[in-house]
Amino acid sequence: MLPHSYAVDSLSRSQDLASAILASTTPSQISATCASIDFFLQSHSPDQSRHFFSITFPILICKLFGFDDASSLPPPPPSQKPPSNGWVELASQSSLPDLSSKIFSLLSPNGTLMNSISAVDRRSLVKYVFPVERLPEWVRFMLSNEKYFRVISDLCPFFKGKVKEDAVQGSLCQIQLNVFEYYLFWFAYYPVCKGNSENLDSNSVKRSRKFRLENWTRSIRGFSGSSKREMEQKFEGNLYIQLLYGYLRAFVPIFDLDAHQPYRSSILNYSLKCDGSVIVRAEFLVNVFVHYWLVDNDFSPLPVNVCKSFGVSFPFRSMLGEIPPTSGLGEVVKLFVKYLNLSSVMSTDGFDNIECNESPRWRVSGGFDSGGSRDLVSLSPSVCSVGSWNSWIQRPLYRFILRTFLFSPVGTSMKNTSQVFSVWVSYMEPWTISLDDFAELDVVISGSSKDVRNQETESQNSGYSPVWQAFVLSNFLYYSSLVMHFIGFAHRFLHSDPEVIAQMVLKVISLLTSSKELVDLIKNVDVVFHSKQAVSSKSALNSLYRIVPSIREQLKDWEDGLCESDADGSFLHENWNKDLKLFSDGEDGGQRLLQLFILRAEAELQGGDIAHAHSLQIIDSLKEKVSYLFGGSTVKPIPISPELRQPQHTRDELFKPRRVGDQTSSNVTYKGDWMKRPISDDEVAWLAKLLIWLSSWLNESLGLNRPEDNDVGSKWFYVNIPGDAVNLNGSGEIVKTLVCLIGSWLLMMGTTTTRLMRKHGLRINLRVLASKKVVMVLLIFVVFSVLKKACGLFH
């Protein structure tokens, strides 16, 4: 036991440090406080540091990330953003490199604080209760149900041993974490909280002025003249990015730990085969980032087969709804995914290869314990050679990107979508990733020589080669199905900025056609996927048949519940995701949709105020790439019937989005009419969906979805009235006759109105009643009527 004097000294100094942290607001005060914390931890043993981690450390987390109170259970109201004067945010925004260096030195993976955390955790001196309200949304739903929180440890092994029942309130559960885990949870939650607050601010700005899309094109790789140096300078000034990279390099190995790692601390100085705690910590780190950033509010957070094996099903879709992922995570997700993909680069680039049998848990799909034999997909042996960490992020990243494309409402800022698009493009090009991409971060963080780094890690692979076949096959949906979803997204947002959207489509098609070997591989897999013949005359196709079952299972699992609904304004059918249609010849196939996109984009660009030569060059390049992808010489025009061919149409009349056309428009396979456009911010979502369903039912019942038959109404029917006189005796018969007369007149008026609506291509659309303005007027009227009656009763 510690002497009483030492315990009192440690307690008093910890309280003094807590007061100093709360009072530190200027750069000089923050720097001095960081030095005091470092000196305290160096001069005290782990037992003496217990008071620091019990009292001071939660307050330090509050000031680092700008939270009001890390120990408070209720989160701040959605309308209130967390304070922006956190130390990390202040260091990133200010032009004071010394402040950023001081904070990074305090939080670095090989610093005094992290070493003290490791020492305290080894003795299990301190435990924290993490607020349930700050967990990922799907985890919160599970913990709120007694039936589900008992199996969360089995479904997610990184929660094993951390879910405990509340000692005070036995019906509730809590998450108990050690110091490292507690800090890492807050570290991962910070960009999520920041993204939610920035999204609220952007929505308020959008209501006052129109958002210009010219400013966010620089964030898309290859869209502007911005160089790699500009991106690296952006990372240099972002302290959070520097810390994230430092933790990844220190705790998540991408090759043999005996190789050179600039951030390897003393706890990592043993071989991977000797101590499994290194892999346990790495798996925990990856899982926390995946579930906070990629999964979070996904209504299908876990693989379908895993849920079935445990006999659980979650009603997450009705609770979470069709909402996009948290915005503002593009930069951190891109760095996270890019770093994990280095494991694939090392296995194909001549570096230290990681054998699958060296650590079986590295090849578990989705990060689930391999001991339970619940792997998602049993890939072929050739696919198993893909880098170890790739299988952990395949499904979460796919759904993260797809939910962004499907659920991003029209009218919102495109900055977040452009960042997610950049993540997708970067993930599909692992052959362009090398350690050189992180050289600038190495210089900023560790001060190592960039020139030496480049000489040691210079990579010769700059394009696709056959050694990447296993990666493409295991991630085939990224190159096929996700491309189709993106084409639908491009059609929906084309009217926002035709040039930028055309550049995005051109970037994807250029990636697919960057190599003849890659085009042939994608086409061959598509042929095998749709072929019913078990044996082909081509030996190259025979070797691909074994991966078809895994692709079908991935397609069913990765797109679970994700398909275009009636209100998303998509060109694609509801059940189209049951098959791959990139190379389909049908109307909803990739070639037809790309041809239609080119026609629409060309008309939009030519019909603008100024038709720039660069814009027309984009269309020409897109035509060339599409022709090469589908094996045609030119892009064939879509056949249009003579009835639809009208001379001298303006651009707005031809390509105006989400509008019901004339009487022949029902023959066109196009679901992007006004009634089925995505839910906008000025509508009540649930009421809009209800009115859309009611409008569709009325249109179908009255036959308004089909054109009026020209023969109908050409013949008149007459009723012969008998010549015998009819005497109406009594008022009852007179009333009955009048009711029949009025009913017949109403029926005739309804029939005539229906015919006129069919003739002119009109349909019932009750969606206008879902406008928030209309609902507000009706609500005010009802409240006024109730108050008027209430006042009348009192008088």
Side-chain angles (χ1 to χ4, degrees):
M1 296 180 60
L2 291 175
H4 181 70
S5 58
Y6 282 98
V8 173
D9 177 71
S10 175
L11 176 61
S12 60
R13 295 194 62 181
S14 298
Q15 293 174 345
D16 294 340
L17 278 178
S19 301
I21 292 172
L22 290 173
S24 300
T25 55
T26 63
S28 58
Q29 292 175 341
I30 295 174
S31 299
T33 303
C34 291
S36 300
I37 295 173
D38 188 80
F39 176 77
F40 175 85
L41 295 176
Q42 287 182 352
S43 58
H44 288 75
S45 64
D47 291 332
Q48 297 171 344
S49 302
R50 177 185 302 178
H51 295 298
F52 171 84
F53 288 104
S54 301
I55 301 173
T56 312
F57 190 63
I59 299 177
L60 176 62
I61 291 179
C62 290
K63 296 297 291 185
L64 283 172
F65 303 118
F67 298 126
D68 292 330
D69 186 2
S71 61
S72 62
L73 288 179
S79 59
Q80 298 180 2
K81 60 177 294 184
S84 59
N85 58 347
W87 292 1
V88 174
E89 187 70 16
L90 182 63
S92 300
Q93 293 178 352
S94 64
S95 57
L96 300 174
D98 293 338
L99 177 61
S100 179
S101 176
K102 288 286 186 180
I103 299 176
F104 180 83
S105 178
L106 175 66
L107 304 176
S108 64
N110 57 349
T112 306
L113 177 61
M114 197 60 65
N115 290 332
S116 299
I117 289 175
S118 300
V120 171
D121 285 341
R122 279 196 295 267
R123 303 188 181 189
S124 300
L125 298 177
V126 179
K127 289 287 184 178
Y128 298 98
V129 176
F130 192 82
V132 177
E133 288 76 8
R134 309 301 176 95
L135 292 170
E137 289 195 33
W138 76 271
V139 179
R140 279 185 280 162
F141 283 116
M142 289 193 67
L143 295 180
S144 62
N145 191 311
E146 184 177 359
K147 174 183 176 183
Y148 297 141
F149 84 80
R150 299 185 183 277
V151 298
I152 189 174
S153 299
D154 297 326
L155 294 173
C156 301
F158 80 100
F159 275 118
K160 189 174 183 179
K162 301 175 178 62
V163 181
K164 307 290 184 180
E165 290 189 2
D166 194 342
V168 179
Q169 300 178 2
S171 59
L172 299 178
C173 61
Q174 53 185 215
I175 303 295
Q176 296 184 6
L177 306 173
N178 61 28
V179 183
F180 177 78
E181 296 166 348
Y182 185 75
Y183 170 74
L184 200 61
F185 268 57
W186 284 113
F187 183 82
Y189 173 72
Y190 169 69
V192 177
C193 182
K194 183 180 177 182
N196 289 331
S197 62
E198 290 180 351
N199 187 39
L200 293 175
D201 292 342
S202 64
N203 289 339
S204 61
V205 172
K206 181 193 63 177
R207 296 180 183 275
S208 60
R209 64 184 181 182
K210 184 177 180 181
F211 190 89
R212 295 180 62 87
L213 297 176
E214 292 84 353
N215 298 328
W216 60 268
T217 56
R218 289 182 175 270
S219 63
I220 305 178
R221 181 179 179 182
F223 280 12
S224 62
S226 60
S227 62
K228 179 179 177 181
R229 173 63 183 170
E230 294 179 357
M231 180 185 67
E232 291 167 345
Q233 287 177 345
K234 187 175 183 181
F235 284 164
E236 289 176 14
N238 194 327
L239 178 59
Y240 187 86
I241 292 291
Q242 298 172 8
L243 290 171
L244 173 61
Y245 176 68
Y247 296 148
L248 290 174
R249 291 289 289 166
F251 303 129
V252 182
I254 55 173
F255 44 57
D256 190 2
L257 293 179
D258 293 334
H260 173 68
Q261 295 190 43
Y263 309 114
R264 183 170 55 190
S265 62
S266 60
I267 63 174
L268 298 178
N269 285 332
Y270 12 87
S271 173
L272 185 66
K273 300 177 182 179
C274 298
D275 192 349
S277 62
V278 177
I279 294 301
V280 172
R281 173 169 288 193
E283 291 175 350
F284 178 81
L285 194 81
V286 172
N287 271 311
V288 169
F289 292 155
V290 165
H291 285 279
Y292 261 107
W293 298 343
L294 301 183
V295 181
D296 192 20
N297 56 2
D298 191 354
F299 54 80
S300 179
L302 303 175
V304 177
N305 288 354
V306 173
C307 295
K308 289 182 179 179
S309 64
F310 285 97
V312 295
S313 60
F314 309 115
F316 288 146
R317 180 155 193 172
S318 59
M319 297 179 181
L320 298 177
E322 297 178 351
I323 55 178
T326 303
S327 61
L329 299 178
E331 292 183 12
V332 294
V333 170
K334 184 175 181 178
L335 177 63
F336 174 61
V337 172
K338 199 171 184 179
Y339 177 83
L340 294 185
N341 263 352
L342 278 176
S343 60
S344 302
V345 176
M346 298 307 167
S347 61
T348 59
D349 218 19
F351 291 90
D352 300 296
N353 295 325
I354 302 177
E355 299 295 337
C356 287
N357 56 5
E358 185 174 352
S359 180
R361 298 185 65 183
W362 274 51
R363 55 177 177 171
V364 178
S365 177
F368 294 93
D369 190 6
S370 59
S373 300
R374 295 187 176 98
D375 290 346
L376 249 186
V377 179
S378 299
L379 297 177
S380 60
S382 61
V383 180
C384 184
S385 61
V386 178
S388 303
W389 292 116
N390 181 259
S391 61
W392 287 63
I393 61 174
Q394 282 180 323
R395 184 185 192 269
L397 180 63
Y398 185 90
R399 293 184 62 87
F400 174 81
I401 299 172
L402 182 53
R403 288 189 298 129
T404 302
F405 290 157
L406 291 184
F407 301 149
S408 294
V410 175
T412 57
S413 173
M414 290 288 295
K415 181 180 179 180
N416 177 67
T417 309
S418 68
Q419 293 177 347
V420 175
F421 174 83
S422 180
V423 173
W424 176 37
V425 172
S426 175
Y427 182 81
M428 289 197 299
E429 293 182 306
W431 43 85
T432 63
I433 302 175
S434 67
L435 294 178
D436 297 339
D437 298 338
F438 306 96
E440 288 296 330
L441 285 173
D442 291 338
V443 173
V444 174
I445 296 174
S446 63
S448 60
S449 175
K450 180 181 177 181
D451 296 335
V452 175
R453 177 88 175 179
N454 287 340
Q455 293 176 3
E456 292 179 355
T457 62
E458 183 177 2
S459 175
Q460 301 295 331
N461 293 337
S462 59
Y464 175 82
S465 62
V467 297
W468 288 102
Q469 178 175 338
F471 180 89
V472 175
L473 293 179
S474 63
N475 297 276
F476 183 74
L477 296 186
Y478 284 87
Y479 301 85
S480 179
S481 182
L482 195 54
V483 174
M484 288 294 295
H485 284 288
F486 174 72
I487 296 173
F489 164 83
H491 273 287
R492 287 195 294 136
F493 284 85
L494 178 61
H495 65 281
S496 300
D497 193 317
E499 182 176 353
V500 172
I501 298 299
Q503 286 178 329
M504 296 173 73
V505 177
L506 177 60
K507 176 63 178 178
V508 174
I509 302 302
S510 299
L511 189 153
L512 297 179
T513 58
S514 59
S515 171
K516 185 179 182 301
E517 291 83 1
L518 180 60
V519 175
D520 293 340
L521 178 62
I522 297 175
K523 287 185 176 180
N524 290 336
V525 175
D526 186 82
V527 170
V528 171
F529 184 87
H530 294 92
S531 177
K532 296 182 180 180
Q533 185 177 0
V535 180
S536 174
S537 58
K538 298 181 179 180
S539 58
L541 297 182
N542 289 332
S543 61
L544 298 177
Y545 275 104
R546 56 184 176 179
I547 69 168
V548 172
S550 64
I551 294 178
R552 293 188 184 277
E553 191 171 354
Q554 286 177 345
L555 185 63
K556 182 179 178 181
D557 176 54
W558 293 4
E559 300 192 4
D560 177 43
L562 295 177
C563 64
E564 284 72 8
S565 62
D566 286 337
D568 68 351
S570 175
F571 285 82
L572 308 178
H573 294 300
E574 295 179 12
N575 296 324
W576 79 276
N577 62 334
K578 294 181 179 179
D579 203 353
L580 302 180
K581 294 183 177 293
L582 179 59
F583 294 96
S584 175
D585 296 332
E587 294 181 352
D588 55 353
Q591 185 174 7
R592 288 290 184 89
L593 291 178
L594 284 172
Q595 290 176 6
L596 179 59
F597 175 82
I598 292 174
L599 294 177
R600 292 186 61 204
E602 189 172 14
E604 291 280 349
L605 294 173
Q606 291 178 352
D609 298 334
I610 301 178
H612 299 283
H614 178 65
S615 302
L616 300 179
Q617 185 179 2
I618 294 174
I619 298 299
D620 294 338
S621 301
L622 184 57
K623 290 181 179 179
E624 180 183 356
K625 297 294 183 181
V626 171
S627 300
Y628 177 76
L629 179 62
F630 295 100
S633 57
T634 57
V635 176
K636 300 179 182 179
I638 296 179
I640 303 177
S641 59
E643 293 79 3
L644 293 177
R645 199 180 297 273
Q646 299 179 4
Q648 303 299 327
H649 279 294
T650 63
R651 174 178 63 93
D652 293 335
E653 291 174 347
L654 277 175
F655 299 102
K656 192 170 184 179
R658 298 170 188 84
R659 177 183 177 183
V660 180
D662 54 13
Q663 60 179 353
T664 57
S665 64
S666 59
N667 295 328
V668 182
T669 306
Y670 172 61
K671 289 191 176 183
D673 54 41
W674 188 88
M675 188 177 67
K676 295 185 178 182
R677 76 187 191 282
I679 303 297
S680 59
D681 293 337
D682 59 349
E683 292 179 312
V684 181
W686 66 269
L687 184 58
K689 294 180 180 180
L690 177 63
L691 294 177
I692 289 172
W693 173 84
L694 182 59
S695 301
S696 301
W697 180 79
L698 290 175
N699 290 325
E700 186 67 26
S701 301
L702 298 177
L704 299 180
N705 292 331
R706 57 180 181 271
E708 174 70 11
D709 191 356
N710 295 328
D711 295 335
V712 176
S714 61
K715 298 180 181 181
W716 294 86
F717 298 93
Y718 299 90
V719 179
N720 295 325
I721 300 177
D724 299 338
V726 179
N727 296 325
L728 298 177
N729 297 324
S731 59
E733 294 184 359
I734 295 175
V735 173
K736 185 185 299 184
T737 303
L738 290 177
V739 171
C740 293
L741 180 62
I742 295 173
S744 301
W745 181 78
L746 292 176
L747 180 60
M748 182 185 67
M749 291 297 297
T751 305
T752 304
T753 303
T754 304
R755 287 180 179 176
L756 290 176
M757 293 179 68
R758 290 179 185 174
K759 182 177 181 180
H760 295 284
L762 301 178
R763 292 188 297 169
I764 298 175
N765 183 11
L766 303 177
R767 182 171 178 173
V768 293
L769 300 179
S771 174
K772 292 182 179 179
K773 297 179 181 179
V774 176
V775 175
M776 184 61 64
V777 171
L778 294 177
L779 182 60
I780 293 175
F781 176 76
V782 171
V783 173
F784 178 77
S785 300
V786 172
L787 292 177
K788 185 177 180 181
K789 292 182 179 180
C791 293
L793 291 176
F794 284 113
H795 289 296

